[in-house]
Structure formats: C-alpha cells, structure tokens
Amino acid sequence: QQFEETADELRQAVSGIPELKELGKNLLVDNTPEGLRIQIVDQQGTAMFPSGSSRMSPQMRRLLGLVATAIKDVPKQVAIAGHTDSTRYADPNGYGNWELSADRALASRRALVEMGFPETRVHRVVGRADADPLVANDLNNPQNRRISIVLLRDSIAKADQERAMPKSLGLTR
C-alpha cells in the first residue's frame, strides 16, 4: 500500500505542476517483484541527458527532485540503474555505453542525495548499458535510455546483503 501511495503522489506532483505536465510521459511507475520501480525515460525530442553525457538536463533535475521528495520518507532501500539504447557510443579512450550508463546512475544518486534523500538508503548503483531494454523490439527506442529507481522490498534488500556477505568467514548481520 505504501508503494501505491508513493506512486500516486508522484503522478499527482507531475500533473499538478503546469511546466512539468508535459514531462509526465517521461515518468513511468510500476510495481515489480523487486519493488516500486520509478523510471525517468527519454522520449522522442526530450532527452534527460545530452547524448554521450552524464550531465542532467534541467527537466531531469526537476523530475528527480519530485522523485526525491516522494520517496525520501518511505523507509526503504533504493537501487538505481542507468540504461542506454543500443546505439554504440565510444570515444578513443574506450568510454562506451557501460561507462555512460554507470555515470548517469551515479549522477542520479548524487542528485538525489543533494535533494535530501538519505545516502545511507542507497543500496546499489549500477550501469546496465543496453542489457535490459524497456522496448525490446526496438533497441534504439529513446525510452531505452533511462534511469530506474527501485524502492526495494525488504526481502530483496536483505537477500542482496546476505549474498554479499562472505559465508566462509562466519560473519552475520
């Protein structure tokens, strides 16, 4: 129920701000087995990050601010993932889609923390490049370029921690 209330709060916040109403299509919220997934996606003509950059657009910063406000008081760990489309991006130094997606996820983490989200609740930050497309039948679809923020179910966060803890040392939390 807490997840549904958070999702409703986000939808109402976007639709209630006239200059952000048009960006409502860039915000996708759904309930998954992992938790409440909030995705900020590119649309044709509206990029959340300039091509090849981890510098946020003003629209991305505004949407992320709404997300930070909506989730900061929900006592759940979060996972942040950056995604790209399948358009190959590489510079002469080998920087490509994997690095770009990770840098965008890290930039989103920094911004959330700057906006008041507790840093101690960031469970993981990952770059996924084009490995997990939102629109699988169109790998270059702009919506595949996105940031996913998942409010993790307690059981998922706990299982992740248990997997990360070396069992051979006999350590427990």
Side-chain angles (χ1 to χ4, degrees), residues 14 31 56 102:
V14 171
N31 223 324
M56 286 180 197

Side-chain angles (χ1 to χ4, degrees), residues 120-142:
T120 57
R121 291 196 12 235
V122 177
H123 183 71
R124 67 179 179 266
V125 180
V126 298
R128 300 282 293 142
D130 62 349
D132 184 19
L134 183 64
V135 184
N137 63 345
D138 181 4
L139 298 178
N140 288 320
N141 187 298

Side-chain angles (χ1 to χ4, degrees), residues 1-9 31 36 70 73-76 151 154:
Q1 184 175 349
Q2 190 174 37
F3 285 166
E4 284 306 315
E5 289 171 7
T6 302
D8 288 343
E9 180 183 335
N31 223 324
L36 181 69
D73 294 327
V74 179
K76 300 290 180 189
L151 287 169
D154 293 336

Side-chain angles (χ1 to χ4, degrees), residues 102-173:
D103 286 349
R104 288 176 175 179
L106 288 166
S108 298
R109 183 205 61 81
R110 277 191 304 276
L112 281 172
V113 170
E114 287 168 10
M115 295 170 182
F117 186 80
E119 187 170 20
T120 57
R121 291 196 12 235
V122 177
H123 183 71
R124 67 179 179 266
V125 180
V126 298
R128 300 282 293 142
D130 62 349
D132 184 19
L134 183 64
V135 184
N137 63 345
D138 181 4
L139 298 178
N140 288 320
N141 187 298
Q143 288 188 326
N144 289 328
R145 298 186 303 263
R146 67 197 190 281
I147 294 295
S148 298
I149 301 164
V150 181
L151 287 169
L152 296 170
R153 296 184 194 287
D154 293 336
S155 59
I156 299 295
K158 185 176 184 209
D160 279 358
Q161 287 174 333
E162 288 172 357
R163 275 193 301 274
M165 186 64 63
K167 295 194 186 320
S168 63
L169 298 176
L171 301 175
T172 59
R173 289 192 185 211

Side-chain angles (χ1 to χ4, degrees), residues 26-95:
N26 296 81
L27 189 67
L28 305 176
V29 182
D30 62 338
N31 223 324
T32 72
E34 197 174 40
L36 181 69
R37 180 174 58 184
I38 302 160
Q39 298 189 95
I40 302 174
V41 303
D42 281 5
Q43 296 287 347
Q44 194 65 41
T46 309
M48 297 296 110
F49 294 88
S51 180
S53 173
S54 62
R55 193 179 70 256
M56 286 180 197
S57 70
Q59 303 97 306
M60 174 66 175
R61 189 164 285 284
R62 293 283 311 271
L63 283 174
L64 207 52
L66 291 175
V67 171
T69 299
I71 68 172
K72 71 180 178 188
D73 294 327
V74 179
K76 300 290 180 189
Q77 295 286 306
V78 300
I80 303 168
H83 304 266
T84 65
D85 60 20
S86 288
T87 302
R88 290 289 152 232
Y89 174 79
D91 71 9
N93 299 319
Y95 186 90

